[in-house]
Amino acid sequence: MVTTNTPDITAVRATTTTVRDTPGYRAFRVVNGLVLVVITFLTLYPFINMVAKAFSSQAYIAAGEVNLWPRGFNLTTFASVMGDSIFWVNYRNTIVYTLLATAIAMALTTTFAYALSKPYLKGRGVLIGLAMVTMLYAGGLIPNYLLIDAIGFKNTMWAIVVPGAINVFNLLVMKSFFDNFPKELEEAAEIDGMTQYGVFFRIVLPLSKAVIATMTLFYAVQFWNSWFQAYLYLNDRDMYPVTLYLRNLLAAATSTTDLGSDTVQIQANVQSVAMLLTVLPIVCVYPFIQKYFVSGVMLGSVKG
Amino acid sequence: MARGTGTVEAVPRTGGGPPGGGIGGAAVDAGPPPPAQQLRDRETWRVSLRRHWRLYTFVVLPVIFLLVFRYVPMIGNVIAFRRYRPGGSMFGDEWVGLYYFQMFIQSKPFWDVFWNTVVLGGLTLLICFPLPIILALLLNELRSRLFKRVVQTITYLPHFMSIVIVAGMVFQLTAINGTINQIIEGFGGEAIPFMQRADWFRTIYLTSEVWQTVGWGTILYLAALTTIDDQLYEASRIDGANRWQQTWHITLPGIRPTMMVLLILNIGTFMAVGFEKVLLLYNPLTYDTADVLSTYLYRVGIGEGGNYSFAAAIGLFEALIGVALVVTANQISKRAVGASLW
């Protein structure tokens, strides 16, 4: 080991270590960099492969020659998927369900979180407990299914947009935000004669845009990606979300998977396009929303 | 885990408040309650309702929602002890005691899927719990902020993908003409029909799970790493500790509370192993290793059987194990390292 010079205690760690890296540690840093490059590449690869296949011709995919780059570049698969009217119907359904479910969820979560953040709300502890318990256990598959059936939600969009309305994790994140909301502002508004509604809608909400945006995205991504509720409760193909369309495409492909049969290759081509179109909105907004998700998770972890 | 981070992002900057918003709000909270506040605390229900009735209206819909969509299903579990008649009540029609519990405990398929669940859950815990820690430590050694950001951005991405998309990618990569088989053939091997082979299912499931969760799993560890006091590293360096010794004696103990909390949470979801993912990835050829409690109860309950009471009994059994595991893990962690969820 190289002996250290007189250590400069006040200096920042990063700058001092550059001065006295041991050869071993320098080697480690090179290897570490390489390992992380490989990990990054492996994470990206399924996406790259999906895009490559979406633009490739069936013949090359069947021959197993499509990996990083499209072979036999064409847009006919896109044309055929986009020409499938049921695909667009399902895609539109996903948009409608996502908007509606997110709106319902945000309305319930925001008002509930705000009320729970007020120390003078009687029974506050009980209500928080009521919500927290559902984090541990939410009733299980069969009772939930029978409930949706019993209240007549089956094969309606309400089965998709209502049951996910309060995500307790999101609720706690919002509550901890409102906990820290400057009281003086609210009290000043009350002195000026505003009602609780006025304070909430005209003072609190406009000043909470960041957390509202974060929670809206949390919910929107969750609803956009969901498929199982639809699989469970919807029978009518015209009501499916696009994720279920995709799931049925995958199921059709796997059930006919004889080695090298034609159906599979055609499906692989179409699958890639449908997958690409389904993830596209998320991938497009992802770079902008990533930091909100990260801060949301940290906020939640402090309380949860 | 109270670090007071994170709030900074979301708290609005009020005019005249100290920089770093969250601190201002928190300080007010922490201070002694003003006299008005104490009075409010002693308000009776009647007074409170009259004065703040608007606030109480905010609570009505969410509470109805929770009662109907969360608590009614919990009560609905009584059908595990009652016979369900199609078209009858969702709570069943007549008491049958532990009939359905005896039924699954005596059935061989149940124990097969039970062990599958334990194996798959155990492997998931064993692999998917430590990997984010390692990745976070590796990321922590990077000096280039840009490189670190790029790696983080890309490795977080799979977390946002629908499970259907993940399943689609798995099917494509493991297809007979997919990339993995091309690599095998490139080395002179025989192509393997992965998705039809029960002995490959666990590997495939775990790989996709790692792909989807590891990057995102680093967030809390990276946050915990930034809270470790730099003076500890300085002091250890003066004492001649090398980088590895620093990691072992400072970094790892520093993130131990985070590790324990996440471990407890992971143990709690142990029995509920990726139900949706298994449902998408498995098929009758791979049931031997792939079928887990949740998928089995889905099939006997809704998929094929319509035997709701039998399936609900299995669901209740699974949930009880889950709760028991969390409570036990929490107690052990509290005694052993002083970190716990509650």
Side-chain angles (χ1 to χ4, degrees):
Chain A
M1 231 192 99
V2 179
T3 49
T4 53
N5 306 323
T6 327
D8 180 2
I9 295 172
T10 54
V12 183
R13 185 175 133 225
T15 51
T16 49
T17 43
T18 36
V19 187
R20 9 184 172 86
D21 277 354
T22 61
Y25 184 58
R26 239 172 289 153
F28 164 78
R29 293 218 305 129
V30 173
V31 174
N32 184 26
L34 287 175
V35 167
L36 288 172
V37 168
V38 170
I39 289 173
T40 309
F41 173 74
L42 289 178
T43 309
L44 269 185
Y45 184 77
F47 293 101
I48 300 172
N49 191 246
M50 176 180 77
V51 176
K53 280 186 172 156
F55 290 101
S56 296
S57 76
Q58 292 156 22
Y60 284 102
I61 297 177
E65 289 176 11
V66 181
N67 293 314
L68 285 165
W69 203 248
R71 302 284 304 272
F73 184 90
N74 72 85
L75 296 171
T76 46
T77 329
F78 271 91
S80 77
V81 171
M82 289 176 157
D84 185 1
S85 65
I86 195 80
F87 176 79
W88 286 118
V89 169
N90 291 172
Y91 208 87
R92 200 201 58 211
N93 288 340
T94 292
I95 296 172
V96 171
Y97 296 160
T98 302
L99 290 177
L100 203 59
T102 307
I104 294 173
M106 282 308 290
L108 291 187
T109 309
T110 313
T111 51
F112 199 28
Y114 180 71
L116 290 180
S117 75
K118 294 284 158 273
Y120 50 84
L121 182 83
K122 293 272 172 190
R124 185 170 88 123
V126 174
L127 292 178
I128 294 173
L130 197 75
M132 298 269 277
V133 166
T134 66
M135 245 177 167
L136 262 182
Y137 185 55
L141 179 69
I142 303 293
N144 273 295
Y145 177 82
L146 292 176
L147 170 73
I148 296 294
D149 198 18
I151 59 178
F153 276 12
K154 232 184 139 211
N155 210 27
T156 71
M157 67 193 260
W158 305 114
I160 313 300
V161 299
V162 174
I166 294 181
N167 177 322
V168 179
F169 173 81
N170 293 357
L171 178 75
L172 294 178
V173 172
M174 283 207 103
K175 180 186 160 292
S176 80
F177 173 84
F178 290 134
D179 282 342
N180 291 326
F181 195 89
K183 275 194 187 62
E184 302 81 358
L185 279 177
E186 293 178 69
E187 278 163 12
E190 273 176 46
I191 290 166
D192 288 349
M194 266 196 193
T195 64
Q196 192 95 52
Y197 290 150
V199 172
F200 179 68
F201 288 107
R202 306 241 294 275
I203 307 287
V204 177
L205 285 190
L207 286 173
S208 313
K209 284 190 193 111
V211 76
I212 289 174
T214 312
M215 290 302 114
T216 306
L217 291 167
F218 265 73
Y219 276 122
V221 169
Q222 177 193 324
F223 291 125
W224 183 277
N225 284 337
S226 78
W227 69 282
F228 184 67
Q229 303 290 323
Y231 179 64
L232 205 54
Y233 300 127
L234 301 181
N235 311 319
D236 191 349
R237 215 158 68 107
D238 288 340
M239 295 178 62
Y240 287 174
V242 70
T243 41
L244 194 52
Y245 174 93
L246 189 58
R247 182 264 162 199
N248 291 338
L249 216 61
L250 298 175
T254 40
S255 65
T256 52
T257 305
D258 308 314
L259 306 187
S261 94
D262 272 353
T263 29
V264 182
Q265 276 91 51
I266 294 166
Q267 296 284 11
N269 214 350
V270 175
Q271 272 170 28
S272 302
V273 173
M275 280 161 66
L276 190 59
L277 292 172
T278 308
V279 297
L280 209 57
I282 290 185
V283 173
C284 287
V285 295
Y286 172 70
F288 307 102
I289 65 177
Q290 191 222 127
K291 67 167 182 176
Y292 291 116
F293 276 103
V294 173
S295 58
V297 166
M298 311 237 276
L299 204 59
S301 72
V302 175
K303 288 277 164 181
Chain B
M1 299 224 327
R3 282 189 306 273
T5 56
T7 48
V8 176
E9 178 76 48
V11 168
R13 306 289 145 89
T14 52
I23 300 152
V28 172
D29 270 350
Q37 186 68 48
Q38 285 174 340
L39 274 179
R40 278 179 183 174
D41 286 345
R42 271 187 256 117
E43 280 170 355
T44 59
W45 274 93
R46 186 190 294 269
V47 174
S48 178
L49 262 176
R50 185 147 12 106
R51 192 190 301 196
H52 305 294
W53 64 269
R54 290 187 178 86
L55 187 70
Y56 287 90
T57 59
F58 281 172
V59 179
V60 175
L61 275 179
V63 168
I64 292 174
F65 172 84
L66 285 179
L67 291 178
V68 173
F69 289 97
R70 299 292 182 269
Y71 283 88
V72 170
M74 276 185 214
I75 300 164
N77 274 301
V78 293
I79 61 157
F81 307 97
R82 289 164 70 87
R83 183 164 288 127
Y84 175 84
R85 189 170 44 79
S89 161
M90 66 171 282
F91 300 110
D93 287 321
E94 49 178 314
W95 290 98
V96 292
L98 294 174
Y99 173 80
Y100 293 107
F101 289 85
Q102 278 173 346
M103 196 163 129
F104 76 68
I105 281 170
Q106 286 162 5
S107 83
K108 187 181 175 301
F110 169 79
W111 290 107
D112 288 345
V113 296
F114 179 80
W115 288 118
N116 276 345
T117 312
V118 172
V119 171
L120 206 58
L123 288 172
T124 308
L125 189 65
L126 211 63
I127 293 172
C128 292
F129 171 70
L131 283 181
I133 303 172
I134 297 171
L135 184 59
L137 291 177
L138 295 183
L139 280 169
N140 197 41
E141 297 296 324
L142 288 180
R143 301 254 171 86
S144 158
R145 279 174 180 271
L146 178 69
F147 184 40
K148 188 174 170 184
R149 264 191 69 92
V150 170
V151 175
Q152 281 178 285
T153 303
I154 290 173
T155 52
Y156 293 170
L157 183 59
H159 172 80
F160 295 94
M161 296 297 114
S162 172
I163 300 177
V164 183
I165 300 287
V166 178
M169 287 172 169
V170 169
F171 283 128
Q172 299 221 332
L173 293 174
T174 58
I176 211 77
N177 48 34
T179 303
I180 295 172
N181 271 318
Q182 286 175 50
I183 294 170
I184 292 175
E185 282 172 338
F187 283 103
E190 282 276 311
I192 302 167
F194 286 103
M195 298 315 294
Q196 301 168 29
R197 294 272 296 271
D199 49 344
W200 276 102
F201 183 84
R202 284 172 185 147
T203 314
I204 292 165
Y205 173 86
L206 287 168
T207 310
S208 78
E209 199 68 10
V210 166
W211 179 78
Q212 207 182 358
T213 60
V214 166
W216 188 251
T218 61
I219 291 180
L220 291 177
Y221 292 115
L222 288 172
L225 284 170
T226 61
T227 63
I228 299 174
D229 193 347
D230 271 343
Q231 290 183 1
L232 290 175
Y233 291 102
E234 288 302 331
S236 72
R237 211 171 293 120
I238 297 166
D239 292 343
N242 64 26
R243 199 69 189 165
W244 172 248
Q245 287 165 328
Q246 288 175 11
T247 303
W248 191 252
H249 294 291
I250 299 171
T251 312
L252 284 178
I255 59 174
R256 194 166 62 187
T258 310
M259 280 162 64
M260 288 318 297
V261 168
L262 288 176
L263 183 64
I264 300 166
L265 288 174
N266 276 336
I267 289 173
T269 55
F270 179 85
M271 293 300 284
V273 274
F275 165 61
E276 290 186 21
K277 192 183 271 182
V278 174
L279 197 63
L280 287 167
L281 290 179
Y282 80 165
N283 62 59
L285 292 172
T286 50
Y287 280 177
D288 277 352
T289 54
D291 202 10
V292 290
L293 279 176
S294 47
T295 52
Y296 177 69
L297 85 86
Y298 166 76
R299 278 207 319 283
V300 296
I302 297 167
E304 307 157 0
N307 198 344
Y308 296 121
S309 294
F310 181 62
I314 297 176
L316 204 53
F317 176 75
E318 182 193 299
L320 284 176
I321 296 181
V323 171
L325 283 173
V326 176
V327 173
T328 315
N330 195 53
Q331 288 305 319
I332 293 175
S333 168
K334 201 189 262 177
R335 295 254 171 78
V337 291
S340 64
L341 285 178
W342 62 83

